[in-house]
Each structure stands twice: as structure tokens, then as C-alpha cells.
Amino acid sequence: MATNQRGKEKEILKAATIVFSDKGFHNANMGEIAQRAGIGKGTIYEYFKNKEDLFFQMVDFNLEHYIASLNDRVQSAVGFDEKFHGFIDFHYELVNRNMKLADFLFKSEQISLKAETKKKVADVLFNARARAVGIIADILRIGQQEGKIRDIDREFTADILINMILGCCGRHATRKQRDEGFALEKEKLMSMIMEGIG
Amino acid sequence: MATNQRGKEKEILKAATIVFSDKGFHNANMGEIAQRAGIGKGTIYEYFKNKEDLFFQMVDFNLEHYIASLNDRVQSAVGFDEKFHGFIDFHYELVNRNMKLADFLFKSEQISLKAETKKKVADVLFNARARAVGIIADILRIGQQEGKIRDIDREFTADILINMILGCCGRHATRKQRDEGFALEKEKLMSMIMEGIG
Amino acid sequence: MATNQRGKEKEILKAATIVFSDKGFHNANMGEIAQRAGIGKGTIYEYFKNKEDLFFQMVDFNLEHYIASLNDRVQSAVGFDEKFHGFIDFHYELVNRNMKLADFLFKSEQISLKAETKKKVADVLFNARARAVGIIADILRIGQQEGKIRDIDREFTADILINMILGCCGRHATRKQRDEGFALEKEKLMSMIMEGIG
Amino acid sequence: MATNQRGKEKEILKAATIVFSDKGFHNANMGEIAQRAGIGKGTIYEYFKNKEDLFFQMVDFNLEHYIASLNDRVQSAVGFDEKFHGFIDFHYELVNRNMKLADFLFKSEQISLKAETKKKVADVLFNARARAVGIIADILRIGQQEGKIRDIDREFTADILINMILGCCGRHATRKQRDEGFALEKEKLMSMIMEGIG
DNA sequence: CATGAATGAGCTTTCATTCAT
DNA sequence: AATGAATGAAAGCTCATTCAT
């Protein structure tokens, strides 16, 4: 019944997630990741080819988790209103839970890595984003069926919404760090999304 | 004849802008910056305390320029429509002219630096953002006077709009890199902003 | 059924011979040797104390084989001429068959090892060499009995001859690598040995 | 009148010569070389690209010196006898002065390095050897003119002689290490070279 | 006996920073 | 004021060796 043969991969990925998002790629060091994972430095190299590979796998691991969780949340909601609010709440919660990680993940494309790794990271991000866009586009489709959303380009709108949400959550996080108020923000955001400014 | 006293400072800042935005903070190296500025490595340290200080000054220098240019553009336009379009066009052009720099600047808060420098960079970014928000809020006020904008929280809306624009420009840049079409994007964006999705 | 008890020892020695002569001591790695021997990495340590010990045993194993084969070849030949030619041919063939190994073996004294191992390797080489010298000295004695060799110090001459042969074979190998001609080399070598240059 | 601007190259090469010939390429470490040269570790990298480059330059440096010295010695001698003895004496002295280095240099082709470096080292050795062969061939020509050497292939003979000398000197060195007698060796060697064994 | 996952000492190399000139 | 040769801390990575299974 032996299950965790070579089972340290997840431990390492979790440790890497913490250290990378805390220190950034270049300031993170393999020793600290190993220490935090409770293993020897060399063990990391049994599971990952090198630091860049570990970084890429770590981004992939977390994005995979993000999309899966987001999907669960939206699937379990019923109707446009619930689904849309669920979608937005999910992101606020995500940022509240781990501001640094969320911000770091979505900006990991910026980090200067070898061309090959850079492409892999970019692809994985692009993919995750595309899936998130798909999820909102689907919500919008339901909204249209329910007559709550006007006839818009769903894909494009979904894309814009992702930007708004992530940007808004980022701001939210920054304000939280600065202890500024941000009450009622979500309501205003919803109103702006639904009715525009005109 | 005392004109270009400290003239080297600007040369260094320009060189730093190019190298940092191209390679990222940790992969940029002082030697290359010096070379590009046409001076000796040691000379940088006559003008800047260290690498982090140079980075901070460089971010400041560019954001200062960004705000000044944005302001010029909006001031020279007349009426809500012209000012608002000018505002959006300005950002699209910014990204088209130097995608890397724009992206880099607005995400420079991510870079892992010593706490002290990090705070200074964050402050400078926060400040620039606040000024940009002020500029849009002002545009919105004019829009309300002209009866083109409904009664909304101008500050909050301005904030959201910044996110949308920057996010949209970021996407625009990524698509450009990937050679995907993005025609008519601006029109759709405007329509969404003005009318919402409801 | 107890036949290939310690049968793995030989497999390991053969694998070690290939890997060490191909990569050199410091670039060879235990993992590859184990793999090539078709066993687990840890198993090597059941048979050999450590990498240096394996190296020493491997040198010993191959020199033992070298001397035994050389002896067979010379014993099976009759008379000075046949024996002497046999001796020389044997070395040319040795180098042709496995240039790298031959070269590597005779220069293994160079490799930087711990003092203790170094001494053991040096002794084993010294010994093999002494036995080879003994074999030629014996051939020379027969040559003198047949009146074909003048009255020389057999031991000393044997020693010089070994140098000539090995050096010549080394050159032969290098030329072969460089695809240069080396025809008639053996004839000239024999003539020089027999008649000198005066 | 500043002369030794960036003048540490030679110091480093000398330190590298000692350390590499003492420990071998793979056991030598950059720190010790720096220490022995009386400089900081990083300074080596101001003068040499990397460890392999340093090794190559060090081999080149010493072979260049070897050929130049050998040439001087032979040029300053008059007539076949003096030149030939000078040639042989030179090598005995070389080995007596620095046995390890001599042995190491001529076997440096063995060391496992990256293909590119390996080729460069091999070329430099090949070249030095060719020049040494040229020097002896020239001595032999003089011997023929003086009627002291019979009509032989000078190039080939020179090649064999190099092997004999180097091999003999190597043996000489080993015996010295082992404190065995080696008196009169040179005389016997000369006799064998001139008259052969027939 | 046999294994291979785990380890950490030890290596090369980079580069911000200093300082004598 | 300007320089760039010199420095050494710090980091990624390899691999012989161990030991629990």
C-alpha cells in the first residue's frame, strides 16, 4: 500500500510557492526552499531539473489549482447572478487569502528567465487566462439567456472583465496593505460593470 | 559655461531605463549600464548610491515623464470626448512605442528589493497612479458637466478605468507579440465603459 | 548452482573500464557505471569500498589481463624473430583495438587520487611494467643465444624498448585519430631498433 | 612609465602551473590558484574566461617556454655531438628540475575537458611536439653531413627519439622517486640509439 | 544481498562595490 | 570628477556515499 514513493514533489512545490512569491525568482534561493520543505538541497534536483524548471512547475501547479477552484465555485452556483457574484467574490477571497501569491503569479511573465523557460511560463499563463476567460464568457452567455446582459462580444468582454477584476483586486490588496478603506467597493464595481458610466 | 553639470546623471538614467526594462532588475548589470551611458563603471557611484538607488531613481524619472506627458496630452484637448479619447489613445501609443518599458514600470513593485527601496518604489508608483487617477477624475467631472456621464463616484471610477486601460494595453501588447488581431478593440472598450454590459 | 557468485564483480569492472577510459576518473560517474553494469548504484558499494578503490581494482584487472595476454602471445611464438615481432604486433593490435583504454591505462599514474590509492595504482603499474620488461629481456636473451643481438644490458634495453613501443603506439593512435598515414612505420621502427642510427 | 598595468597574468599562469601539475585539472581549485598567486579569486576571471581556459593558456605558456629553451640550448651548441648531447641533457635536466610538470604537460591531452578546449590543448601539444621533432631532425641532418648518422628517415627517427627521450626521462623520474640507481643510463641510451641492438 | 532516494560538501562562476590613481 | 582593476560574498548545481527498506 506504499503510496508516497518519491512523494516529496508536492512538498517542494509548496515550499517553492512560498519562497518564490515572497522573495521573487532571483532573490529566492534553493537552500531556503529545501529547508522550508524539510529536505536536503540536493533532493530538489531529484525532482526538478534546475531552478527555472522548479519555478515553471510551481507556476503551473498554482495556476492549475486556481482554475480548478474557480471552476468549482462557478459550477456550484446557479443562475447568472449567483455565478457572476461567485466569480468576483472568488477573486477577492483569493487576494485576501494570499495577496502576494496572486499578484506574483499573474505577473510572473515579467521575470527574466532563459528564453525557453520564459516561453513555457508565458504559455501556461496564457492558457490559464484563456480558461478563466472561457468561464466568464459562459457566465455572460447565461446572463444573455436570462435577458440580463445585452448583446455584446462575450469573449472580448470576458477579457476586459478579467483585467478589471485582477486590477481591482490588486488595488484592493494595496489599500489593505496601506490600511485604507475599501468598503462598498464591490457594489460600485458591479454597478459600473452592469451599467457603464454613460 | 556651466550647463551640463550633472548632465551625466540623465545619460545614466536613460541607459538604466533601457537595460533594466530589457533585462529586469536582477539580470541587468552595472557594467552594461555604464557602457551604454558611455562612462566608466565607477562613475555611476558618483551619482547614485547603489544599484537599488539607481533603479528607484530610474522608475521615478520615467513615471515623472509619463505623468507630465499624459497631462500635456489631456490639457491640450478640449471637451470630454476629446480628452477621454486622448487619454486612452495616449496609453495605447505608450505601449506601442515601448511595450517592455510600460509593462515593466507598472509592475516594478513586484521586483524583490530591500524593504526600504521597495517602499520608495511603491510610493512613487502609488503617487503616479494617484495623479493619473486625478487626471481622469477631472475628465469625468467635465463629462458630468457636459451631461455625458451619469452621477458616479469619480475617484473610484477613475481607479477602475486605470486598471482597465493598463490591463487592456497589457493584453494588447501580449497579442501584438503573438501577432493576433486586436482591431476595433478600442471601440469595444469605449462602448463597454460608457454603456456597461447590462 | 553456486557458479556466478561474485559474478557481478566482473560486470562492474568491465563497466568501469569502459566508463573510466572514456570519461577519465573525475568525469566518470558511479551512476553510469552501475547502469552500464545493469545493477543499482548502491550495489557497487557491496563489492568496492569507494570510487577510488573501484578505479584501482579496474586498473589492476586490466593490467593483469594485458600481461597474461602478452605472455600467451610470446610463449606461443618460436625463436627470437617470431617472438620479437609478436611482441611488437601485440602492442600495435592492442592500441588498434582500444586506443583509449591502452593510453589511459599506462597514464593512469597521472590521475590525481588520494596518496594511498595513488601508491597502489603506481605499484600495480610498476609491477606490470616490470613483468613486461621481464618478458622482453627474455626475448633478448634468446636473441643473444641465436647470435642476433649484441652484448647489451638486457634489462635496460628492455626498458627502453617498452618506452619506444608504447610511445610509438601512442603516436600511432594520435595519427590514426588525425587520419595521417603511418604505413611502414613498424618496419622502420624495427630497423632502428636493430641497427641504430649510427 | 607604468608597465605592469594588468600585469597579473603571468603570476596567475605560474600559480596555475604549480597547482594544476600538483593536483591535476579536476582536483585543482580556483581558490588555491588565486591564493598562491596572491590575488582574489575573482581576479582570475579578469584574465581568463574560465577554468578550462586557464588550463589551456597554462599548457600553452609552458610548452612555449619549453620549445624556446630547447631551441636556445641546441642553437648554442656546435656540431652534431654537442647538439645531440645537449638535446638529451636538456630533457634530463627538465625532468630533474620539475618531474611532475614535465610528465603532466606531455600527458595533458588525456584530461577530460569540453571538446573545444580539448582540441585546443591537443593542437598546442601537437604543435610543440612537431617543433621538437623539427629540432631533432635538424640535428640528425647535421649528423649526416658529418658522416656520423646513416641514411635514415630523419622525421620518423626524430619522432621515435622524442618518445625514447620522454619515456626514458619519465622512467628516470619514477626511479628517482623510488630512490633507485640510474647512473650511466644516459651512456647506455646513447649507445643504443647510435648502434642499435643488432 | 540489492536498491535508489536522499543527502550536503564542495566546486565554479558572477557581479555589485570599493578605492588607489 | 572619473576610472576600472581588484575583490569576495553568495548562489546553483553535481555526485559519491549512505542507509532504510
Side-chain angles (χ1 to χ4, degrees):
Chain A
M1 250 65 166
T3 49
N4 62 333
Q5 191 70 6
R6 272 189 90 81
K8 298 204 159 121
E9 198 171 327
K10 247 184 193 146
E11 287 311 310
I12 297 172
L13 284 170
K14 282 178 194 165
T17 300
I18 295 170
V19 177
F20 278 133
S21 70
D22 187 38
K23 307 262 182 97
F25 178 79
H26 291 285
N27 274 39
N29 87 45
M30 300 301 268
E32 188 179 344
I33 294 173
Q35 200 166 32
R36 195 173 275 271
I39 56 166
K41 219 184 340 168
T43 307
I44 296 180
Y45 293 87
E46 295 285 323
Y47 292 86
F48 303 93
K49 232 176 59 203
N50 52 35
K51 193 185 182 185
E52 293 210 343
D53 181 42
L54 173 58
F55 179 75
F56 162 66
Q57 304 280 0
M58 165 264 179
V59 170
D60 190 35
F61 175 75
N62 283 287
L63 287 176
E64 214 51 63
H65 180 76
Y66 157 70
I67 289 295
S69 308
L70 174 59
N71 210 45
D72 281 0
R73 176 69 161 265
V74 172
Q75 294 302 334
S76 69
V78 179
F80 172 76
D81 289 339
E82 218 178 291
K83 278 179 192 288
F84 198 36
H85 273 91
F87 179 84
I88 290 176
D89 287 348
F90 178 84
H91 284 91
Y92 270 93
E93 286 160 23
L94 181 73
V95 172
N96 275 329
R97 214 178 315 117
N98 198 341
M99 194 187 330
K100 254 179 186 160
L101 175 59
D103 230 37
F104 181 66
L105 269 187
F106 293 110
K107 288 172 183 165
S108 56
E109 208 168 344
Q110 289 307 308
I111 291 161
S112 65
L113 303 163
K114 272 187 287 186
E116 192 201 8
T117 320
K118 200 158 193 163
K119 195 182 163 357
K120 283 165 78 180
V121 170
D123 281 349
V124 138
L125 267 162
F126 186 82
N127 221 290
R129 210 194 148 89
R131 283 198 276 167
V133 165
I135 291 172
I136 321 177
D138 224 49
I139 298 177
L140 293 177
R141 190 179 44 75
I142 293 168
Q144 289 177 328
Q145 287 168 350
E146 295 182 12
K148 286 170 175 160
I149 299 293
R150 63 184 174 93
D151 183 31
I152 47 166
D153 178 336
R154 290 195 301 269
E155 293 285 325
F156 174 80
T157 306
D159 207 45
I160 302 287
L161 287 175
I162 284 275
N163 285 337
M164 286 177 74
I165 306 292
L166 290 180
C168 214
C169 290
R171 286 293 297 151
H172 181 93
T174 305
R175 277 187 188 151
K176 205 177 143 197
Q177 263 180 327
R178 293 175 178 267
D179 291 313
E180 296 171 27
F182 49 88
L184 293 177
E185 197 171 77
K186 210 184 74 180
E187 301 315 315
K188 286 184 191 166
L189 177 62
M190 285 300 298
S191 136
M192 225 205 99
I193 290 172
M194 295 306 287
E195 301 170 44
I197 65 179
Chain B
M1 249 71 161
T3 49
N4 66 335
Q5 191 65 4
R6 295 278 123 177
K8 280 182 182 167
E9 196 173 326
K10 235 178 195 164
E11 287 310 310
I12 297 171
L13 286 170
K14 281 180 194 164
T17 301
I18 295 170
V19 178
F20 278 133
S21 70
D22 187 38
K23 309 262 183 93
F25 179 78
H26 290 284
N27 277 45
N29 86 39
M30 299 300 268
E32 189 180 344
I33 293 173
Q35 198 169 33
R36 197 173 272 271
I39 55 163
K41 221 181 342 168
T43 308
I44 296 179
Y45 291 85
E46 297 287 326
Y47 295 87
F48 303 93
K49 230 176 62 201
N50 52 35
K51 193 185 184 184
E52 294 209 342
D53 181 42
L54 173 58
F55 179 75
F56 161 66
Q57 304 281 0
M58 165 265 179
V59 170
D60 190 34
F61 174 75
N62 282 287
L63 287 177
E64 215 50 64
H65 180 76
Y66 157 70
I67 290 295
S69 307
L70 174 58
N71 211 43
D72 281 0
R73 175 69 161 265
V74 172
Q75 293 302 333
S76 69
V78 179
F80 171 76
D81 288 341
E82 219 179 289
K83 279 179 191 287
F84 198 36
H85 273 92
F87 178 85
I88 290 176
D89 287 348
F90 178 83
H91 284 91
Y92 270 93
E93 285 162 24
L94 182 73
V95 171
N96 274 329
R97 211 177 319 116
N98 198 340
M99 195 188 326
K100 252 179 185 163
L101 176 59
D103 230 38
F104 181 66
L105 269 186
F106 295 111
K107 286 171 183 166
S108 56
E109 205 171 343
Q110 288 309 307
I111 290 160
S112 65
L113 302 164
K114 273 187 289 186
E116 193 202 7
T117 320
K118 200 157 193 165
K119 194 180 165 354
K120 284 165 77 180
V121 170
D123 282 347
V124 139
L125 267 162
F126 187 81
N127 222 288
R129 209 192 150 91
R131 284 197 276 167
V133 165
I135 291 171
I136 321 178
D138 223 49
I139 297 175
L140 293 178
R141 191 180 41 76
I142 294 169
Q144 289 178 328
Q145 287 168 351
E146 294 182 14
K148 287 170 175 158
I149 299 294
R150 63 184 172 93
D151 183 31
I152 48 166
D153 177 337
R154 289 195 301 270
E155 292 285 323
F156 175 80
T157 307
D159 207 45
I160 303 287
L161 286 176
I162 283 276
N163 285 336
M164 285 177 75
I165 306 292
L166 290 180
C168 216
C169 289
R171 283 295 294 152
H172 180 92
T174 305
R175 276 186 190 153
K176 206 176 140 198
Q177 267 179 325
R178 291 179 178 263
D179 291 315
E180 297 173 27
F182 48 88
L184 293 177
E185 198 171 73
K186 211 184 72 181
E187 303 313 314
K188 285 184 190 165
L189 177 61
M190 285 299 300
S191 135
M192 226 203 100
I193 290 173
M194 295 306 288
E195 302 169 44
I197 63 180
Chain C
M1 248 69 159
T3 50
N4 66 337
Q5 192 66 3
R6 295 278 125 178
K8 278 183 183 165
E9 196 172 326
K10 236 179 195 164
E11 286 310 310
I12 297 170
L13 285 170
K14 282 180 193 166
T17 300
I18 295 171
V19 178
F20 278 132
S21 70
D22 187 38
K23 308 263 183 92
F25 179 77
H26 291 284
N27 277 46
N29 87 38
M30 299 299 268
E32 189 179 345
I33 293 173
Q35 198 169 32
R36 196 174 273 271
I39 55 164
K41 219 179 348 165
T43 309
I44 296 179
Y45 292 85
E46 296 288 325
Y47 294 87
F48 302 92
K49 227 176 64 200
N50 52 34
K51 193 185 183 183
E52 293 210 342
D53 181 43
L54 172 59
F55 179 75
F56 161 66
Q57 305 280 359
M58 165 265 179
V59 170
D60 189 35
F61 174 75
N62 283 286
L63 287 176
E64 214 50 65
H65 179 76
Y66 157 70
I67 289 296
S69 307
L70 174 59
N71 210 45
D72 281 1
R73 175 69 161 266
V74 172
Q75 294 303 333
S76 69
V78 179
F80 171 76
D81 288 341
E82 218 178 290
K83 279 180 192 287
F84 198 37
H85 273 92
F87 178 84
I88 289 176
D89 288 349
F90 177 84
H91 284 91
Y92 269 94
E93 285 161 23
L94 181 73
V95 171
N96 275 329
R97 212 176 317 115
N98 197 340
M99 195 187 328
K100 252 180 185 161
L101 175 58
D103 230 37
F104 180 66
L105 269 187
F106 293 111
K107 288 172 182 166
S108 56
E109 206 171 341
Q110 288 308 308
I111 290 160
S112 66
L113 303 163
K114 273 187 286 185
E116 191 201 8
T117 321
K118 200 157 193 164
K119 195 180 164 357
K120 284 165 78 180
V121 170
D123 282 348
V124 139
L125 267 162
F126 186 81
N127 222 290
R129 209 192 149 91
R131 284 197 274 167
V133 165
I135 292 172
I136 321 178
D138 223 49
I139 298 176
L140 292 178
R141 190 178 44 75
I142 293 169
Q144 288 177 329
Q145 287 167 352
E146 295 183 12
K148 284 170 176 160
I149 298 294
R150 63 185 175 92
D151 182 33
I152 48 166
D153 178 335
R154 289 195 301 271
E155 292 285 325
F156 175 80
T157 307
D159 207 43
I160 302 287
L161 287 176
I162 283 276
N163 285 336
M164 285 176 74
I165 306 292
L166 290 181
C168 216
C169 291
R171 283 295 296 153
H172 181 92
T174 306
R175 277 188 189 150
K176 206 176 142 196
Q177 265 179 325
R178 291 176 178 266
D179 291 314
E180 296 173 27
F182 48 87
L184 293 177
E185 197 172 76
K186 211 184 75 180
E187 302 314 315
K188 285 184 190 166
L189 177 62
M190 285 300 298
S191 137
M192 226 204 97
I193 290 173
M194 295 306 287
E195 302 169 44
I197 65 179
Chain D
M1 251 67 168
T3 49
N4 63 332
Q5 192 70 5
R6 270 192 92 81
K8 295 198 162 128
E9 198 171 327
K10 247 183 193 148
E11 287 311 311
I12 297 171
L13 285 170
K14 282 178 195 165
T17 300
I18 295 171
V19 178
F20 277 134
S21 71
D22 186 37
K23 307 262 183 96
F25 179 79
H26 291 285
N27 275 40
N29 86 45
M30 298 302 265
E32 189 178 345
I33 293 174
Q35 199 165 32
R36 195 172 274 270
I39 56 166
K41 222 183 336 169
T43 307
I44 296 179
Y45 292 86
E46 295 285 322
Y47 293 85
F48 302 93
K49 233 176 60 201
N50 52 37
K51 192 184 184 185
E52 292 209 343
D53 181 42
L54 173 58
F55 179 75
F56 161 66
Q57 304 281 0
M58 165 266 178
V59 169
D60 190 35
F61 174 74
N62 283 286
L63 287 176
E64 214 53 61
H65 180 75
Y66 157 70
I67 290 294
S69 308
L70 173 58
N71 211 44
D72 281 359
R73 177 68 162 265
V74 171
Q75 293 302 334
S76 69
V78 179
F80 172 76
D81 288 341
E82 219 178 289
K83 278 179 191 290
F84 198 36
H85 273 90
F87 179 85
I88 290 177
D89 288 349
F90 177 85
H91 283 91
Y92 270 94
E93 286 161 22
L94 182 74
V95 171
N96 274 330
R97 212 176 319 116
N98 198 342
M99 194 187 330
K100 254 178 186 162
L101 175 59
D103 231 37
F104 181 66
L105 270 186
F106 294 110
K107 287 172 182 165
S108 55
E109 209 168 345
Q110 289 308 307
I111 291 160
S112 65
L113 303 164
K114 271 188 289 187
E116 193 202 6
T117 319
K118 200 158 194 164
K119 194 182 163 357
K120 284 165 78 180
V121 170
D123 282 347
V124 138
L125 268 162
F126 187 81
N127 222 289
R129 211 193 148 91
R131 284 197 276 167
V133 165
I135 292 171
I136 322 178
D138 223 49
I139 297 176
L140 294 178
R141 192 181 42 76
I142 292 169
Q144 289 177 328
Q145 287 168 350
E146 294 182 13
K148 286 169 175 160
I149 298 294
R150 63 184 173 92
D151 183 30
I152 47 166
D153 178 336
R154 290 195 300 269
E155 293 285 325
F156 175 80
T157 307
D159 208 45
I160 303 286
L161 286 176
I162 283 275
N163 286 336
M164 285 178 74
I165 306 292
L166 289 180
C168 214
C169 290
R171 284 294 295 152
H172 180 94
T174 305
R175 276 186 188 152
K176 205 176 140 198
Q177 263 181 325
R178 293 178 178 264
D179 291 314
E180 296 173 27
F182 48 88
L184 293 178
E185 196 171 75
K186 209 185 73 181
E187 301 313 316
K188 285 183 189 165
L189 177 61
M190 284 299 300
S191 136
M192 225 205 99
I193 290 173
M194 295 307 288
E195 301 169 44
I197 63 180

